[in-house]
């Protein structure tokens, strides 16, 4: 007992002060966050934009388009599953040339997780991918793509579309654009319903929505419906942030651009849009028109019908071959690649009818030169030919003789294409 008393007294004695209470510094395991970077949107107004073009919209072709004053270019459609498998041929579709000062890539997928994973790779600075926007493909009508839930099928799968947009824009610093058609079938267009629904999701970073004025089942047949495109431009809710709308389809001359786009914008501003703003932009988005008339951007900007000579067109093809050999290589495999893509392009180029041969200006997209049409020179006549053998002859003028037994049939066919 005495011992216990002594112990108790010693605890409170002046020589045995209780230890000081430790100072606890609060710690946190949260990673400090930097302020979000401002997303730089693309101003498409009063620009010539070359749409993504499968097979023929390759890098050498886009260099030609830049030479003819195109403002904005986009790579060919790339499939997300092929990209995620690391296929070099698919990643090559996203390659950018230094002359492409405003450049986007187009991705097709039917799954939000694939879109997001591709976006993560593109956003990784260590990968060296420099893009100004990413375009979602909701317009491809090809069965192989639609059967995977991608392309035009994604227009019918709103949850997948929303999840894809949210996933990509969480990781990308650039805007996302959406390329779609009027709908699945011509008689049941849905773009005018889908666009305000996308607007209502309130997802920040959607740079523009591009509307091709045909349905998926139409593919490329019949004329694009510009009245409907104008309707889509007026369909957004006025009390929500507006998304720019860009029309696409059948622009084949500067007069087409002014009549189909500028006049539609003017009508929308003058008419009663039920209080809705007119979001249709004065943008010349060119697809097949650029394939058939690569100098079309110059015509639009200079407001003229250019009677380009056969010699000037041959010089353009020489540039394409030179750019192609730089891009694909100058060995035999590279030469074969250049020839193949040149022939694919010639399957479109022959549809152009020189201005000096037209009775009435301008030529329209669905106009074709008659069989066996004669030009003003032997070279111009050769370039007007629908005969595949003549396209091969042009390639031999630029790349030398083809191998024995060489055959060619265009890979990229529209509904209106006639086999030759």
């Amino acid at each position: 007992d005495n011992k216990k008393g002594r112990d108790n007294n010693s605890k409170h004695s002046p020589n045995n002060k209780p230890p000081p209470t430790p100072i606890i510094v609060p710690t946190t395991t949260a990673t400090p966050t930097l302020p979000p970077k401002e997303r730089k949107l693309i101003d498409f107004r009063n620009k010539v934009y070359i749409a993504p073009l499968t097979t023929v919209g390759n890098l050498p072709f886009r260099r030609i388009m830049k030479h003819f004053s195109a403002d904005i270019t986009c790579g060919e459609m790339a499939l997300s599953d092929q990209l995620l498998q690391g296929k070099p041929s698919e990643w090559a579709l996203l390659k950018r040339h230094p002359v492409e000062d405003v450049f986007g890539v187009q991705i097709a997928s039917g799954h939000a997780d694939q879109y997001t994973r591709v976006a993560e790779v593109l956003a990784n600075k260590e990968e060296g991918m420099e893009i100004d926007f990413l375009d979602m493909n909701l317009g491809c009508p090809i069965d192989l793509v639609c059967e995977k839930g991608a392309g035009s099928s994604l227009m019918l799968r709103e949850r997948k579309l929303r999840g894809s947009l949210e996933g990509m824009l969480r990781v990308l610093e650039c805007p996302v654009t959406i390329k779609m058609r009027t709908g699945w079938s011509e008689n049941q267009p849905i773009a005018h319903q889908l666009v305000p629904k996308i607007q209502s999701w309130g997802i920040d970073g959607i740079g523009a929505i591009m509307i091709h004025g045909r349905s998926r089942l139409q593919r490329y047949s019949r004329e694009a419906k510009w009245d409907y495109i104008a309707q889509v431009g007026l369909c957004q809710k006025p009390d929500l942030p507006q998304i720019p709308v860009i029309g696409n389809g059948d622009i084949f001359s500067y007069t087409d651009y002014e009549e189909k786009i500028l006049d539609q914008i003017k009508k929308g501003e003058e008419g009663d849009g039920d209080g809705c703003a007119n979001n249709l932009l004065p943008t010349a988005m060119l697809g097949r028109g650029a394939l058939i008339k690569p100098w079309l951007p110059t015509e639009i900007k200079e407001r003229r019908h250019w009677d380009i000579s056969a010699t000037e067109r041959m010089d353009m093809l020489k540039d394409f071959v030179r750019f192609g050999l730089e891009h694909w290589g100058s060995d035999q495999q590279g030469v074969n690649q250049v020839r193949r893509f040149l022939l694919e392009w010639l399957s479109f180029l022959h549809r152009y009818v020189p201005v000096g041969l037209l009775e009435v200006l301008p030529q329209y997209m669905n106009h074709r030169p008659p069989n066996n049409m004669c030009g003003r020179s032997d070279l111009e006549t050769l370039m007007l030919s629908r005969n595949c053998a003549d396209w091969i002859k042009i390639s031999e003028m630029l790349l030398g003789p083809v191998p024995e037994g060489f055959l060619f049939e265009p890979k990229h066919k529209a509904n209106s294409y006639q086999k030759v």
Side-chain angles (χ1 to χ4, degrees), residues 210-343:
M210 289 78 169
I211 309 293
H212 182 167
R214 293 181 177 87
S215 69
R216 184 263 171 176
L217 296 180
Q218 277 183 274
R219 298 194 176 225
Y220 301 96
S221 64
R222 297 187 289 281
E223 294 183 355
K225 293 189 174 181
W226 277 93
D227 288 341
Y228 181 74
I229 292 174
Q231 179 185 341
V232 176
L234 291 164
C235 71
Q236 295 183 46
K237 299 170 185 175
D239 55 336
L240 295 176
Q242 305 294 295
I243 303 172
V245 173
I246 296 172
N248 173 228
D250 298 348
I251 301 298
F252 202 47
S253 65
Y254 83 87
T255 52
D256 280 342
Y257 169 65
E258 293 180 353
E259 292 169 6
K260 288 180 168 65
I261 301 179
L262 300 186
D263 288 356
Q264 288 288 0
I265 292 173
K266 188 176 180 181
K267 286 178 186 177
E269 292 171 349
E270 294 174 350
D272 181 11
D274 296 327
C276 296
N278 186 2
N279 291 292
L280 184 62
L281 295 186
T283 304
M285 184 173 180
L286 309 179
R288 286 181 300 158
L291 294 176
I292 301 169
K293 285 173 58 176
W295 51 92
L296 184 53
T298 300
E299 288 193 354
I300 290 172
K301 291 187 174 185
E302 297 181 2
R303 302 188 71 249
R304 67 182 175 109
H305 301 295
W306 184 358
D307 190 9
I308 187 169
S309 70
T311 303
E312 289 174 301
R313 292 159 66 194
M314 181 57 80
D315 288 340
M316 174 190 74
L317 296 180
K318 289 177 181 176
D319 285 340
F320 176 82
V321 167
R322 180 164 55 86
F323 297 157
L325 293 172
E326 291 176 11
H327 182 57
W328 289 298
S330 55
D331 58 0
Q332 189 57 52
Q333 184 177 355
V335 170
N336 293 342
Q337 282 282 76
V338 175
R339 191 187 304 277
R340 175 200 161 202
F341 287 110
L342 173 63
L343 290 168

Side-chain angles (χ1 to χ4, degrees), residues 367-408:
H367 288 176
R368 298 286 185 272
N371 290 330
N372 304 316
M373 185 175 184
C374 289
R376 295 164 293 187
S377 67
D378 290 344
L379 182 57
E380 193 168 73
T381 300
L382 186 66
M383 289 179 165
L384 282 163
S385 175
R386 299 174 60 190
N387 190 333
C388 190
D390 287 329
W391 308 342
I392 293 174
K393 188 181 297 183
I394 293 173
S395 81
E396 290 182 317
M397 295 166 66
L398 298 164
L399 288 164
V402 298
E404 187 177 349
F406 179 84
L407 296 173
F408 172 74

Side-chain angles (χ1 to χ4, degrees), residues 22-51:
I23 300 174
I24 300 174
V25 179
T27 60
T28 176
T29 58
T31 304
T33 57
L34 296 172
K37 292 185 178 180
E38 184 178 354
R39 198 187 309 274
K40 183 181 178 182
L41 298 180
I42 307 298
D43 185 3
F44 287 94
R45 290 172 297 179
N46 301 308
K47 303 288 196 310
V48 177
Y49 169 38
I50 307 304

Side-chain angles (χ1 to χ4, degrees), residues 32-334:
T33 57
L34 296 172
K37 292 185 178 180
E38 184 178 354
R39 198 187 309 274
K40 183 181 178 182
L41 298 180
I42 307 298
D43 185 3
F44 287 94
R45 290 172 297 179
N46 301 308
K47 303 288 196 310
V48 177
Y49 169 38
I50 307 304
L53 299 162
T54 303
T55 303
V56 277
N58 48 64
L59 185 147
F61 169 79
R62 299 196 305 271
R63 290 182 67 180
I64 296 291
M65 296 311 305
K66 289 299 295 183
H67 171 75
F68 285 117
S69 302
D71 298 298
I72 303 171
T73 53
C74 188
E76 302 171 64
M77 177 185 73
L79 301 175
S80 64
D81 55 347
Q82 306 289 305
L83 293 172
L84 294 172
Q85 290 171 24
K87 292 198 173 180
S89 59
E90 206 72 14
W91 280 103
L93 302 178
L94 311 187
K95 188 175 180 180
R96 174 185 197 164
H97 192 272
V99 299
E100 298 181 275
D101 45 346
V102 183
F103 173 74
V105 297
Q106 187 185 67
I107 310 297
S109 178
H111 304 282
D113 63 321
Q114 290 186 358
Y115 262 125
T116 304
R117 284 157 60 199
V118 170
E120 287 172 346
V121 177
L122 294 173
N124 186 348
K125 298 299 183 184
E126 294 180 2
E127 297 293 336
M129 300 293 297
E130 291 290 338
I131 62 172
D132 297 303
F133 62 97
L134 185 151
D135 187 54
M136 292 183 70
N137 186 313
L138 275 64
C140 181
I142 299 172
D143 293 341
L144 185 65
V145 174
C146 291
E147 286 167 1
K148 295 181 178 180
S152 297
S153 291
L154 196 54
M155 290 186 70
L156 311 176
R157 308 167 75 208
E158 293 176 8
R159 287 181 60 188
K160 296 279 188 183
L161 173 58
R162 182 172 183 172
S164 300
L165 284 167
E166 290 175 339
M168 286 190 293
L169 287 166
R170 271 197 300 268
V171 298
L172 288 173
E173 294 179 4
C174 66
V176 169
T177 60
I178 307 169
K179 171 80 183 295
M180 66 174 68
R181 287 182 173 249
T182 59
W184 190 262
S185 66
E186 184 179 6
N187 298 327
Q188 293 182 314
I190 62 170
H192 68 288
Q193 299 168 337
L194 183 56
V195 168
K197 191 162 291 185
I198 293 172
Q199 180 200 23
S200 70
W201 294 339
I203 302 172
D204 180 58
I206 300 176
I209 296 176
M210 289 78 169
I211 309 293
H212 182 167
R214 293 181 177 87
S215 69
R216 184 263 171 176
L217 296 180
Q218 277 183 274
R219 298 194 176 225
Y220 301 96
S221 64
R222 297 187 289 281
E223 294 183 355
K225 293 189 174 181
W226 277 93
D227 288 341
Y228 181 74
I229 292 174
Q231 179 185 341
V232 176
L234 291 164
C235 71
Q236 295 183 46
K237 299 170 185 175
D239 55 336
L240 295 176
Q242 305 294 295
I243 303 172
V245 173
I246 296 172
N248 173 228
D250 298 348
I251 301 298
F252 202 47
S253 65
Y254 83 87
T255 52
D256 280 342
Y257 169 65
E258 293 180 353
E259 292 169 6
K260 288 180 168 65
I261 301 179
L262 300 186
D263 288 356
Q264 288 288 0
I265 292 173
K266 188 176 180 181
K267 286 178 186 177
E269 292 171 349
E270 294 174 350
D272 181 11
D274 296 327
C276 296
N278 186 2
N279 291 292
L280 184 62
L281 295 186
T283 304
M285 184 173 180
L286 309 179
R288 286 181 300 158
L291 294 176
I292 301 169
K293 285 173 58 176
W295 51 92
L296 184 53
T298 300
E299 288 193 354
I300 290 172
K301 291 187 174 185
E302 297 181 2
R303 302 188 71 249
R304 67 182 175 109
H305 301 295
W306 184 358
D307 190 9
I308 187 169
S309 70
T311 303
E312 289 174 301
R313 292 159 66 194
M314 181 57 80
D315 288 340
M316 174 190 74
L317 296 180
K318 289 177 181 176
D319 285 340
F320 176 82
V321 167
R322 180 164 55 86
F323 297 157
L325 293 172
E326 291 176 11
H327 182 57
W328 289 298
S330 55
D331 58 0
Q332 189 57 52
Q333 184 177 355

Side-chain angles (χ1 to χ4, degrees), residues 6-19:
R6 286 195 302 271
D7 291 341
N8 290 336
N9 291 336
S10 65
K11 289 180 183 178
H12 302 287
S13 65
N15 297 327
N16 292 289
K17 294 181 180 179

